[in-house]
Amino acid sequence: MSGPPRGDQAPAGGAMRSVADQRARVLDAVAPLPTTVLPLAEAHGLRLAQDMTAAIAVPTWDNSAMDGYAVRAGDIAAATHEHGITLRIVADLPAGSGDDPHLAPGEAARIMTGAVVPTAADAVVPLEQTDRDDPMAPLAETVTVYRAPGTGQHLRRAGEDLVAGDPVLAAGSLATGAALSALAATGHGTVRVHRRARVAVIATGSELVRPGEPLTRGLIPDSNSLLVAGLVREHGGEVVAVRHVDDDAAHLAEALRQVSQAPEPPDVVVLTGGVSEGAFDPVKQLFTGAGGVEFARVRMQPGKPQAFGRLGDAVLFGLPGNPVSAWVSFHVFVAPALAVMHGMPRERAAPPAVPGVAGADWGTPPGRDQYLPARISTRDDRVLVATPVAALGSKSHLVASLAQASGYAIVPAAVDHITRGDAVSIVRTSLETP
C-alpha cells in the first residue's frame, strides 16, 4: 500500500462508531425466530433448528456398484480371459427388488446397479467381463466369467457412508438441495427449521419514481426498492411489503403503521434514505427524540449514516438512500441480522473477510474504512483479486456498476491509497463471479 499511514480524521459532529461496534449492537438486538417442522421439499433455503443424525444407515443395504452378476468370488477365482468359468444364472435382481436368492456353488444372479446383493454373494462381476454383456438381453441360463473378482469387488457396503446415529447436519445449517438430499438419504421426511424473517421495505425520497416512468427534471428511478427487496430474498427473507414514500414524516409514519398492522406483521423493517443530516430527511424527523431508534455515524465509506432500533416487535434498519451505500450497509448489518434470525450462530453471522489483493489502483476516503464494491476473481495461484466495478471507486451513487459486484474489498482508514497488488481484505457476497 502506498503512502504513509494517517490518523482518523473524523469530521466534526461527534465521534464515529466502528463497524464492529455497530454490528454488535445490531446482533445484540436480534434472536432466532420461532421454529416449525416442514416436509423436506418445503424447507429449502431455511436453516435447521436442531442437530440432525442419521436414522438409517447409508447405504441401507449391501448393494451393487455395477450392472453385472452377483457371485461367490471363490467359485471363479481361477477365471481368465482365455479360460472363462461358466455359472448357472438363478435370479434376476433389478434395483428395488427385495429378493434374496440363495446362491449354491456355481450359481450367479444378474444384478443391476443399486440392487441389494444376495446374502450368499461376496462380489459383483461387471457385464463387460462376461459373455453376457448386453443389459437389455433376455435373461440367459448361464454366464461365463472372464476375470476373477476379488472378494468385495463392486460392492457398496451398508453403512460405509454413515451408520444410524452418525451426525448429518448441525443446527444452523442451510437447507440446500444437497443438505435436503442427505436428510432424505438418512431416513428423514421432515425437518425442524426456523421460519423466514418477514421483511417490509420502504424507500423514502420525493425524487423517486417507479422504474420505467418518464423522468422530469430532478426525478430519478426508485432502484432501492428492487435492490433491498432482492437482497432480502437472496438472504432467505420473505418480503411482505414494498412501499415508497416521499420526504414527509407523516407519510412515513402512516406507511409504517400500515405495514405494522398487517395480519402477518414484519419481523424486520428496512428503510432507505432519510437518515442523514438533510433538512427534509423523514426518518430523522420521525424518530429523533421519539425513542426506540438510534442514529449513528459509522466509520465506513460508503454507509456512514445508519439508523437502528425497534418498531414495536420488529427491528428497524434505516440505511442511507444512495444505492451503493444501501447495498454495502445491507451486507454489513442487515444480512448478519437475518442470518441470526434464521438460526445461524452469532459467531458465524458476519460475512467472513479473507486475504486478497487489489486488481487495480484506487483512492480511499479520509478517516473511514472503505467498503469498495468489487468484482472478485481468482488468480492462477488461487489468490483472490478485488477489482473495483466502477471507475470512480466507492462513491455511493454509482448504482449502474453495482450489478457487476460479487463482493467488496475492505481498506482500513489509515491507508491513503491502494496500488494494484496491495493486500486487501475481501468479502464475497455472491458465489457467482460476473
Side-chain angles (χ1 to χ4, degrees):
M1 299 181 183
S2 61
R6 64 190 179 210
D8 189 349
Q9 304 172 26
M16 285 192 285
R17 180 178 295 166
S18 71
V19 170
D21 187 7
Q22 179 70 5
R23 185 154 53 203
R25 292 169 186 252
V26 168
L27 297 185
D28 282 345
V30 297
L33 289 167
T35 66
T36 184
V37 176
L38 293 177
L40 296 183
E42 298 177 20
H44 187 268
L46 301 176
R47 289 192 181 274
L48 275 60
Q50 64 186 85
D51 295 339
M52 298 296 290
T53 59
I56 58 175
V58 181
T60 311
W61 320 96
D62 290 352
N63 69 88
S64 177
M66 302 286 287
D67 294 337
Y69 294 87
V71 300
R72 297 153 50 108
D75 290 349
I76 50 175
T80 65
H81 185 71
E82 293 78 17
H83 302 287
I85 294 178
T86 300
L87 305 173
R88 186 166 70 91
I89 300 172
V90 297
D92 199 11
L93 300 173
S97 172
D99 294 344
D100 187 9
H102 175 69
L103 299 184
E107 294 181 341
R110 187 168 70 169
I111 192 167
M112 299 295 107
T113 302
V116 179
V117 175
T119 302
D122 57 9
V124 171
V125 179
L127 291 175
E128 56 269 26
Q129 295 174 9
T130 74
D131 66 338
R132 308 291 186 186
D133 58 0
D134 181 1
M136 305 303 293
L139 189 66
E141 293 185 356
T142 63
V143 60
T144 300
V145 178
Y146 296 112
R147 184 178 300 174
T151 299
Q153 185 173 5
H154 303 305
L155 296 187
R156 301 164 175 165
R157 293 297 188 185
E160 66 181 15
D161 188 3
L162 296 175
V163 299
D166 278 352
V168 180
L169 293 166
S173 298
L174 187 65
T176 61
L180 294 171
S181 174
L183 291 175
T186 53
H188 299 282
T190 62
V191 63
R192 181 172 291 279
V193 293
H194 295 275
R195 68 166 176 82
R196 297 184 191 279
R198 298 188 292 265
V199 184
V201 177
I202 301 178
T204 71
S206 296
E207 74 279 17
L208 303 180
V209 298
R210 289 180 182 275
E213 288 189 359
L215 302 179
T216 57
R217 183 177 175 84
L219 301 182
I220 61 174
D222 173 16
S223 61
N224 276 350
S225 295
L226 294 170
L227 171 68
V228 175
L231 289 172
V232 167
R233 295 185 181 101
E234 290 166 20
H235 287 267
E238 176 189 359
V239 178
V240 295
V242 179
R243 302 288 182 89
H244 163 244
V245 298
D246 56 15
D247 288 322
D248 185 295
H251 293 171
L252 176 59
E254 176 60 19
L256 290 170
R257 185 192 67 80
Q258 291 177 8
V259 299
S260 297
Q261 293 181 358
E264 291 190 334
D267 305 295
V268 180
V269 176
V270 182
L271 310 177
T272 63
V275 296
S276 190
E277 304 296 335
F280 302 100
D281 287 349
V283 181
K284 268 285 185 73
Q285 292 176 7
L286 181 61
F287 289 107
T288 297
V293 175
E294 179 191 37
F295 294 87
R297 300 165 68 250
V298 180
R299 195 167 54 247
M300 63 188 297
Q301 190 277 330
K304 179 175 71 174
Q306 297 286 329
F308 178 73
R310 301 204 73 87
L311 182 70
D313 292 332
V315 292
L316 182 143
F317 291 88
L319 309 183
N322 282 311
V324 180
S325 297
W327 183 86
V328 168
S329 300
F330 187 98
H331 285 293
V332 174
F333 301 119
V334 184
L338 290 176
V340 170
M341 297 172 82
H342 291 152
M344 179 180 282
R346 174 178 168 153
E347 61 272 15
R348 294 197 289 114
V354 297
V357 298
D361 299 353
W362 70 75
T364 62
R368 288 186 281 164
D369 297 339
Q370 184 181 42
Y371 284 69
L372 178 83
R375 183 182 301 106
I376 311 302
S377 58
T378 306
R379 292 192 321 204
D380 291 343
D381 59 1
R382 304 190 66 79
V383 171
L384 291 180
V385 180
T387 305
V389 295
L392 296 178
S394 56
K395 293 185 177 180
S396 59
H397 65 290
L398 304 175
V399 63
S401 303
L402 196 56
Q404 300 302 314
S406 52
Y408 53 86
I410 304 174
V411 182
V415 177
D416 68 349
H417 186 77
I418 288 292
T419 299
R420 181 174 181 171
D422 283 348
V424 294
S425 295
I426 291 174
V427 175
R428 287 185 181 272
T429 58
S430 173
L431 296 178
E432 178 180 358
T433 302

